[in-house]
Amino acid sequence: QLQASGGGLVQAGGSLRLSCEASGLTLSSNSIAWFRQAPGKEREFVAAINWRGISTYYAGSRKGRFTISRDNAKNTVYLQMNSLKPEDTALYYCAAGSVPTAPVSAYDYWGQGTLVTVSS
């Protein structure tokens, strides 16, 4: 029901924009978050946005480099990632839930993920 896309290989300092599209689910009714999981590590919160797109939340280290936004008319949420670092390399997932918050358990729907690889 959620499909993340836009990942790829980028050099350190570069940018990528991830997209999260929904089918069979109206994103405008949900808060949407991005999480990421690097090999051997737990899934971690990246950013979230409420259903109206008015409130956004970021994990501390990503604020200022990453921007989450949404276009409810297109049923799509975006994650703009700038100044990428090798430590940003991970599988990035989008998730839908009722409130924009950090815990993984707060989200009911998950996409398959898109791989971001940042080379040094």
Side-chain angles (χ1 to χ4, degrees):
Q1 289 179 312
L2 294 177
Q3 180 64 52
S5 62
L9 175 63
V10 63
Q11 289 188 331
S15 298
L16 283 174
R17 188 177 80 158
L18 307 184
S19 298
C20 177
E21 298 181 71
S23 59
L25 176 70
T26 302
L27 285 187
S28 60
S29 300
N30 293 272
S31 294
I32 304 296
W34 287 96
F35 288 80
R36 70 185 188 185
Q37 189 166 17
K41 296 188 177 181
E42 293 187 352
R43 192 167 299 188
E44 64 175 356
F45 173 76
V46 175
I49 188 167
N50 73 336
W51 71 276
R52 294 181 67 182
I54 294 176
S55 299
T56 57
Y57 307 87
Y58 298 92
S61 62
R62 264 74 73 182
K63 192 171 185 178
R65 296 193 298 122
F66 292 4
T67 303
I68 189 170
S69 62
R70 67 190 303 159
D71 185 339
N72 286 340
K74 295 183 178 180
N75 217 27
T76 302
V77 173
Y78 305 98
L79 183 69
Q80 177 68 42
M81 306 187 295
N82 300 325
S83 302
L84 284 163
K85 306 175 181 180
E87 52 264 42
D88 294 316
T89 295
L91 194 59
Y92 283 72
Y93 299 88
C94 57
S98 58
V99 294
T101 187
V104 170
S105 59
Y107 295 89
D108 303 310
Y109 303 98
W110 290 83
Q112 289 184 314
T114 185
L115 182 62
V116 172
T117 304
V118 184
S119 63
S120 58

